[in-house]
């Protein structure tokens, strides 16, 4: 499978500060790829490099098989972008902006536009300066989603949407996904959204990729919490590799265990004799918190 | 009003460079005139002769206002007659910057959540700007006293500038309430300043002739302050008008503030079309939408200016005809036609400089688009940086052609006895100089985007050279810094092509360098 986005060892410096420091991002054609990281991790910077708005200082990057800096104009015909902070021209109406951006990209699907206006409940007659944050975002989303392009780059597209609209957004992206020929790069802080939409994801921190893969791959890397009531003393369990935060209170134990150590730990419990057992799968939040916090 | 004190400190911190700069610089300029007038006209007789010619020269009266006496102080105060316009400009821009611009950018909201009263930002902006204006007046008075000028006149002279600043701080405060964008607030305030200037000129020039329209000056705050006549009449009652005007405008602004919602203007927002017109499909169409209001406004302003300058042209001759003594002087200066020619050549220079302000403003629109994030939206479609910048530069380079042509044509129409072609040529030869200043703005935008605003130093320096260069008899190399120094003086002067070609080439090179920088840099930066 070809890669829609292929960034290797990407470095971007702003003066002495390295905003990106060897970032890896690989997005296959046709997938919805989540792009996560704490504030200031470098998501927007990466996207701006992909869009040819900024030039990288090191590493290599290709977008839809081309060089995003030198072939920007040609590549932009094939993609649509929704910035994290949408601002509209104060004197143009939402409908005018949608049409204009679509035409500048090389054409938009008017039926799709009408459908999206309806579903996002946007009044296209208002002037840019009178829209709320969420409605500005809808204008940019509708402009992007009704353009006939191969790649959608969305930078926190739902940060201003209410829960109903957020649901509409998910439906629409799932429709895109079903078409199968569109690639989506979705930067987001909303975990449920990422879980619902993304095939694979990349987590970055301080300008470096810390994790990439499918959600189930990543779940694999995290710990399950086990609480059990035992028939006897659990000798040797506390020192087993992969067991963490071990607590013993009379006949009750509670510990976290790495996925690889799950089997030996359970065997140990069975040997001692189990009266009751509760197992908590790793929550998404925990997964991200662990990745977001440095050195843990 | 809670929190006004804190906000005043915040304004002083944010403007710690700009505010002292205009207060001190504008405050000190007139003191520089004292020595040069003493040098140029050492005896009372020479001063009387100069005053006689100047007082009836319509071009001079247009620029500097009426002149009544011939004492050194009166000449200096009169020659500083364009200064109130600059003080007014600084004052209204400062007030809008700290009221509507902050509100639009969301900064007011940020501090508004703290324990700060709703009128506090307006009050703080007005207090700071009026205090700065008073300080400017005090600096001016002190500098004049330092030059050994009489006390009462120096105080009146300082009051003239201080009251101008206060009056136009009030104007800025009102326009900041009208619309939700700082850009429109600034435009409306500039129009008010322009109208005040035109009324002042209309009244003063009419007073040279039959005086039937001299009451026009009394409709303009700029007219009031000039009727203080420092060092001459030292008339204080026009000052009362200015004080009342300041209180009235500030009060009106405060009332308007309570009548509107936060973030909104008073002028209601209307619904527009739900889809784009068929024509709105190219980067140029977008640039036209963004620039057309500005271009139209400037074109109308320039046409009005042309009508004034042309209308006044008639009285230049009338004065010569009416007054045999002056007629003699004019004859020695090269005859009446030379006099009219030099008048039009002089106004063309002023008009060129104003056109350069438009060109710089239109160029810096690129930076506005970048900072507001609009550029990002356009540049991530199939529009290259060259095309995007090019469509805007079309307006900064060809827009001046339109406004200058409008001014030249209006001048010619209002002065039918003149040669329309020659007058128009005199206006249009300013273009290469205008382009150089626009190109400097392109260069700044391309290479030092965060400091793009330094592009205003170009017109500011040229204005300084225009205002003080001749009077202070500065070195030629300094005068040569202004591209306008090199423009042929038409009608009347030598129509040499070399400087025009050179200036155009310089402008082309600077523009190319700026565009090359833009191609290479981060955007937004
Ligand atoms: N133009 C710039 N000049 C200097 N530093 C910058 C610039 N743009 C970004 N940075 C820095 O680069 C780092 C990455 O910023 P970026 O905006 O890419 O983060 P992000 O992951 O998008 O964060 P968020 O989740 O808050 O949107 C930050 O430390 C930021 O301060
Ligand atoms: Mg971001």
């Amino acid at each position: 499978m070809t890669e829609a986005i292929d960034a290797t060892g990407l470095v971007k410096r702003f003066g002495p500060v390295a905003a990106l420091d060897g970032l890896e991002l690989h997005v296959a054609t046709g997938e919805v790829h989540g792009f996560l990281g704490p504030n200031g991790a470098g998501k927007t910077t990466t996207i701006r490099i992909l869009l040819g708005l900024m030039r990288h200082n090191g590493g290599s990057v290709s977008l839809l098989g081309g060089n995003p800096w030198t072939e920007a104009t040609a590549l932009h015909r094939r993609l649509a972008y929704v910035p994290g902070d949408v601002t509209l021209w104060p004197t143009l109406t939402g409908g005018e902006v949608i049409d204009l951006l679509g035409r500048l990209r090389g054409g938009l699907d008017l039926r799709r536009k009408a459908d999206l206006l309806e579903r996002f409940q946007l009044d296209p007659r208002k002037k840019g300066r009178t829209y709320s944050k969420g409605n500005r975002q809808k204008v940019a989303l509708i402009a992007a989603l009704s353009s006939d392009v191969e790649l959608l780059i969305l930078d926190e597209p739902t940060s201003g949407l209410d829960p109903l609209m957020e649901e509409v957004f998910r439906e629409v992206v799932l429709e895109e996904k079903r078409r199968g020929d569109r690639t989506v790069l979705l930067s987001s802080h909303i975990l449920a959204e990422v879980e619902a939409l993304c095939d694979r994801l990349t987590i970055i921190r301080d300008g470096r990729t810390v994790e990439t893969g499918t959600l189930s791959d990543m779940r694999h890397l995290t710990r399950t919490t086990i609480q059990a009531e035992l028939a006897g003393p659990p000798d040797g369990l506390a020192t087993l590799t992969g067991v963490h935060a071990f607590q013993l209170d009379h006949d009750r134990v509670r510990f976290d265990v790495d996925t690889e150590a799950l089997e030996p730990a359970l065997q140990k419990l069975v040997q001692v004799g189990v009266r009751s057992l509760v197992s908590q799968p790793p929550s998404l939040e925990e997964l991200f918190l662990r990745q977001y916090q440095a050195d843990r | 009003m809670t929190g006004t004190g804190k906000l005043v400190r915040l304004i002083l911190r944010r403007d710690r460079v700009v505010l002292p700069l205009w207060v001190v610089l504008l405050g000190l300029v007139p003191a520089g005139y004292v020595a040069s007038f003493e040098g140029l006209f050492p005896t009372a007789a020479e001063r009387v002769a100069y005053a006689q010619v100047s007082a009836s020269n319509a071009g001079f009266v247009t620029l500097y206002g009426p002149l009544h006496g011939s004492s050194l102080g009166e000449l200096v105060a009169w020659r500083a007659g364009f200064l109130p316009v600059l003080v007014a400009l600084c004052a209204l821009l400062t007030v809008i910057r700290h009221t509507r611009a902050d509100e639009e950018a969301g900064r007011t909201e940020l501090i508004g959540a703290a324990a700060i009263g709703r009128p506090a930002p307006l009050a703080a902006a007005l207090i700071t700007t009026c205090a700065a204006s008073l300080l400017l007046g005090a600096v001016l008075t002190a500098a004049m006293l330092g030059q050994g000028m009489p006390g009462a006149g120096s105080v009146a002279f300082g009051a003239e500038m201080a009251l101008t600043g206060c009056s136009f701080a009030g104007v800025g405060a009102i326009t900041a309430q009208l619309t939700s964008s700082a850009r429109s607030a600034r435009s409306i305030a500039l129009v008010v300043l322009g109208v005040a200037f035109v009324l002042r000129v209309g009244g003063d020039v009419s007073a040279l002739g039959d005086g039937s329209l001299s009451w026009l000056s009394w409709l303009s705050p700029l007219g009031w302050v000039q009727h203080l006549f420092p060092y001459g009449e030292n008339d204080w009652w026009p000052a009362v008008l200015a004080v009342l005007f300041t209180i009235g405008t500030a009060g009106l602004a405060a009332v308007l503030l309570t009548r509107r919602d936060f973030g909104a203007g008073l002028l209601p927002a209307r619904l527009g079309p739900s889809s784009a017109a068929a024509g709105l499909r190219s980067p140029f169409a977008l640039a036209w939408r963004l620039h057309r209001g500005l271009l139209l406004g400037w074109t109308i302003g320039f046409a009005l200016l042309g009508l004034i300058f042309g209308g006044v042209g008639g009285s230049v001759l009338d004065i010569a005809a009416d007054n045999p003594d002056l007629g003699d002087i004019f004859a020695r200066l090269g005859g009446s036609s030379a006099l009219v020619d030099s008048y039009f050549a002089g106004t063309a220079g002023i008009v060129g400089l104003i056109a350069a302000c438009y060109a710089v403003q239109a160029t810096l629109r690129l930076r506005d688009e970048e900072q507001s994030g609009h550029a990002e939206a356009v540049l991530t479609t199939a529009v290259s940086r060259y095309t995007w910048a090019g469509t805007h530069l079309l307006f900064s380079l060809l827009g001046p052609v339109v406004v200058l042509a409008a001014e030249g044509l209006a001048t010619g129409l209002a002065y039918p006895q003149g040669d329309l072609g020659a007058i128009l040529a005199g206006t249009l030869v300013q273009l290469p100089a205008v382009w150089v200043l626009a190109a400097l703005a392109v260069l700044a935008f391309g290479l030092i985007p965060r400091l793009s605003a330094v592009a205003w130093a170009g017109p500011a320096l040229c204005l300084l050279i225009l205002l003080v260069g001749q009077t202070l008899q500065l070195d030629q190399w300094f005068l040569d810094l202004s591209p306008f120094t090199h423009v042929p003086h038409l009608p009347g002067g030598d129509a040499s092509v070399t400087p025009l070609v050179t200036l155009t080439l310089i402008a082309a090179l600077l523009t190319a360098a700026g565009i090359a920088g833009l191609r290479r840099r981060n955007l937004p930066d």
Side-chain angles (χ1 to χ4, degrees):
Chain A
M1 188 150 46
T2 56
E3 289 203 328
I5 295 173
D6 188 2
T8 311
L10 210 54
V11 177
K12 174 69 192 175
R13 277 185 291 271
F14 292 111
V17 194
L20 300 183
D21 190 7
L23 182 121
E24 300 281 326
L25 178 64
H26 304 278
V27 179
T29 303
E31 77 174 352
V32 178
H33 194 103
F35 193 33
L36 294 93
N39 293 134
K43 301 181 293 296
T44 302
T45 305
T46 308
I47 289 175
R48 285 186 170 149
I49 290 172
L50 291 174
L51 291 166
L53 293 168
M54 291 185 174
R55 181 141 58 162
H56 59 284
N57 304 109
S60 66
V61 55
S62 97
L63 178 87
L64 298 171
N67 179 333
W69 179 261
T70 53
E71 299 167 50
T73 316
L75 292 173
H76 291 169
R77 262 180 227 291
R78 299 161 60 194
L79 64 84
Y81 164 56
V82 175
D85 198 0
V86 179
T87 59
L88 303 174
W89 290 279
T91 53
L92 267 65
T93 65
E96 286 180 310
V97 171
I98 294 172
D99 288 350
L100 174 71
L101 291 180
R103 289 167 182 173
L104 291 181
R105 274 186 198 112
L108 87 170
D109 180 345
L110 288 177
R111 285 232 306 280
R112 180 84 170 140
K113 174 194 156 191
D115 174 49
L116 289 172
L117 279 175
E118 170 92 33
R119 287 164 74 183
F120 278 112
Q121 295 170 16
L122 181 79
D123 182 350
R125 294 170 307 164
K126 286 195 177 172
K127 293 277 169 70
R129 71 161 71 94
T130 63
Y131 282 114
S132 66
K133 172 172 164 62
N135 283 333
R136 286 200 303 273
Q137 218 149 19
K138 288 183 200 170
V139 170
L141 270 172
I142 295 173
L145 290 166
S146 52
S147 303
D148 192 16
V149 291
E150 297 162 44
L151 172 65
L152 291 169
I153 296 182
L154 314 176
D155 192 359
E156 297 185 39
T158 58
S159 57
L161 298 189
D162 67 42
L164 273 176
M165 289 304 129
E166 153 89 55
E167 191 51 42
V168 174
F169 170 75
R170 285 187 207 180
E171 281 167 22
V172 174
V173 173
L174 285 175
E175 284 165 23
E176 299 293 325
K177 198 169 158 177
R178 260 176 250 129
R179 284 179 32 167
D181 55 350
R182 277 202 188 184
T183 311
V184 180
L185 178 66
L186 171 66
S187 135
S188 177
H189 288 301
I190 301 170
L191 305 177
E193 178 179 285
V194 173
E195 190 176 23
L197 298 176
C198 297
D199 304 302
R200 292 198 317 131
L201 48 104
T202 295
I203 302 178
I204 66 168
R205 193 178 63 218
D206 296 335
R208 266 186 222 123
T209 304
V210 289
E211 208 58 69
T212 181
T214 64
L215 255 183
S216 47
D217 286 347
M218 289 193 190
R219 283 225 164 86
H220 208 69
L221 295 167
T222 55
R223 295 164 188 171
T224 309
T225 305
I226 306 270
Q227 293 178 61
E229 217 176 312
L230 300 179
D235 295 323
L237 184 59
T239 52
L240 203 69
T241 21
V243 170
H244 308 271
F246 186 84
Q247 292 169 9
L248 181 64
D249 179 16
H250 301 293
D251 54 351
R252 293 169 163 275
V253 290
R254 185 201 154 93
F255 58 89
D256 297 340
V257 55
D258 290 342
T259 311
E260 310 90 75
L262 197 56
E263 212 174 304
L266 287 180
Q267 273 168 2
K268 205 87 186 183
L269 291 178
V270 171
Q271 279 167 18
V272 178
V274 183
R275 292 212 196 104
S276 76
L277 181 95
V278 180
S279 144
Q280 265 170 3
S283 79
L284 209 53
E285 277 74 13
E286 266 176 88
L287 190 156
F288 287 114
L289 284 179
R290 272 191 51 195
Q291 301 292 357
Y292 275 25
Q293 287 165 353
D295 309 320
R296 264 191 57 184
Chain B
M1 298 287 273
T2 332
T4 305
K6 279 187 202 139
L7 291 181
V8 167
R9 280 200 294 279
L10 183 68
I11 294 175
L12 291 177
R13 213 194 111 62
R14 285 179 58 201
D15 281 359
R16 63 185 179 278
V17 179
V18 180
L19 209 65
L21 198 70
W22 64 263
V23 165
V24 173
L25 216 61
L26 296 181
L28 290 182
V29 164
Y33 289 153
V34 175
S36 67
F37 268 104
E38 267 179 329
L40 285 170
F41 310 106
T43 68
E46 283 166 298
R47 284 200 281 271
V48 169
Y50 175 74
Q52 244 176 4
V53 180
S54 305
S56 49
N57 179 321
F60 277 177
V61 171
T62 298
L63 255 186
Y64 308 124
L67 173 62
H68 279 188
S70 63
S71 71
L72 184 57
E74 281 168 292
L75 285 178
V76 169
W78 166 78
R79 192 65 162 77
F82 195 69
L83 219 52
V85 176
L86 301 181
V87 175
L89 191 69
C90 293
L92 62 87
L93 290 179
T94 307
V95 168
I96 293 173
R97 169 173 148 81
H98 292 288
T99 50
R100 179 54 74 179
D102 272 0
E103 190 167 332
E104 189 185 19
R107 284 188 289 269
T108 312
E109 213 164 353
L110 208 59
I111 54 170
I116 277 170
R118 189 164 144 74
L122 177 63
L126 277 171
I127 289 171
T128 320
T129 310
C130 290
S133 308
L134 292 173
L135 188 63
L136 190 160
V139 168
L140 196 154
T141 302
M144 293 304 282
L145 290 174
Q147 295 281 325
M149 303 304 288
S154 300
V155 174
F157 196 10
E160 175 183 346
M161 301 303 160
L163 289 172
T164 312
C166 294
S167 301
F168 282 89
V171 169
I174 290 180
T175 63
Q177 311 308 317
L178 296 181
T179 70
S180 61
S181 93
R183 190 199 307 279
S184 330
R186 267 183 228 119
S187 309
I188 300 174
L190 287 180
V191 169
V192 173
L193 179 58
V195 169
F197 182 73
V198 168
L199 288 173
R200 203 273 291 148
V201 171
D204 292 347
V205 171
S206 162
L208 290 182
D210 59 1
S212 58
L213 292 177
S214 60
W215 50 272
L216 284 176
S217 302
W218 293 101
L219 298 180
S220 166
L222 291 175
W224 304 336
V225 292
Q226 295 204 321
H227 281 79
L228 262 72
F229 291 117
Y231 304 105
E233 290 91 332
N234 283 335
D235 239 345
W236 278 96
W237 72 268
V240 178
L241 285 178
V243 171
L244 290 178
F245 182 80
T246 306
I247 296 171
T249 46
L252 182 58
V255 171
L256 295 178
L257 178 73
T258 61
R259 294 274 168 86
R260 68 180 179 87
D261 291 333
F262 181 82
L266 279 172
L267 309 175
R270 286 191 309 264
L271 292 179
S274 66
S275 57
L280 187 57
R281 52 171 51 260
S282 65
F284 174 74
L286 175 63
W288 167 247
R289 267 297 280 273
L290 300 177
H291 280 273
R292 64 184 183 189
L294 191 67
L295 180 59
L296 184 69
W298 279 92
T299 309
I300 293 174
F302 268 67
L304 288 178
L305 205 60
L307 289 178
I308 296 175
F309 283 153
V312 166
S315 49
V316 174
L317 274 187
D318 291 348
I319 295 157
D322 290 352
N323 189 329
D325 293 341
L326 286 177
D328 273 1
I329 300 175
F330 290 152
R332 264 184 277 133
L333 286 172
S336 63
S337 95
L339 184 79
V340 174
D341 281 354
S342 82
Y343 164 73
F344 282 124
T347 57
I350 297 164
V351 169
L353 184 50
I354 304 176
C357 293
Y358 163 64
V360 169
Q361 189 188 12
T363 307
L364 292 186
R365 186 69 209 246
L366 281 166
R367 178 65 181 162
D368 281 357
E369 289 286 292
E370 174 181 0
Q371 277 183 308
S372 59
H374 303 153
E376 206 169 332
V378 174
L379 291 174
T380 51
T381 67
V383 174
S384 71
R385 292 188 184 192
Y386 295 128
T387 312
W388 171 69
T391 52
H392 284 268
L393 292 187
L394 224 49
F395 288 88
S396 43
L397 299 179
L398 298 186
V401 182
V402 175
V403 298
L404 285 174
E407 198 276 344
L409 286 174
T411 306
L413 286 179
Y415 186 70
Q417 53 279 52
D419 175 357
L420 178 64
I423 291 174
L424 193 59
T427 315
L428 290 178
V429 286
Q430 307 296 324
L431 275 170
V434 172
W435 286 334
V436 169
L437 294 186
L440 278 171
V442 180
L443 190 72
F445 171 66
L447 297 184
I448 43 167
R450 286 171 207 209
L451 301 177
S452 297
V454 300
W456 286 110
L461 183 68
C462 294
L463 179 66
L464 189 73
I465 289 174
L466 182 78
L467 287 183
V468 303
Q470 299 287 326
T471 323
L472 297 190
Q473 296 179 302
L474 295 173
D475 285 348
Q476 188 61 34
W477 69 263
F478 182 68
L479 304 183
D480 281 345
L481 287 180
S482 167
F484 292 98
T485 307
H486 307 278
V487 169
H489 291 270
L490 293 178
D494 284 340
S496 84
V497 178
T498 323
L500 298 180
V501 173
T502 315
L503 287 173
T504 307
L505 276 179
I506 292 174
L509 280 177
L510 294 174
T511 305
I515 296 287
L518 173 68
R519 177 67 191 95
R520 261 158 238 279
R521 72 177 177 84
N522 292 334
L523 203 158
D525 188 346

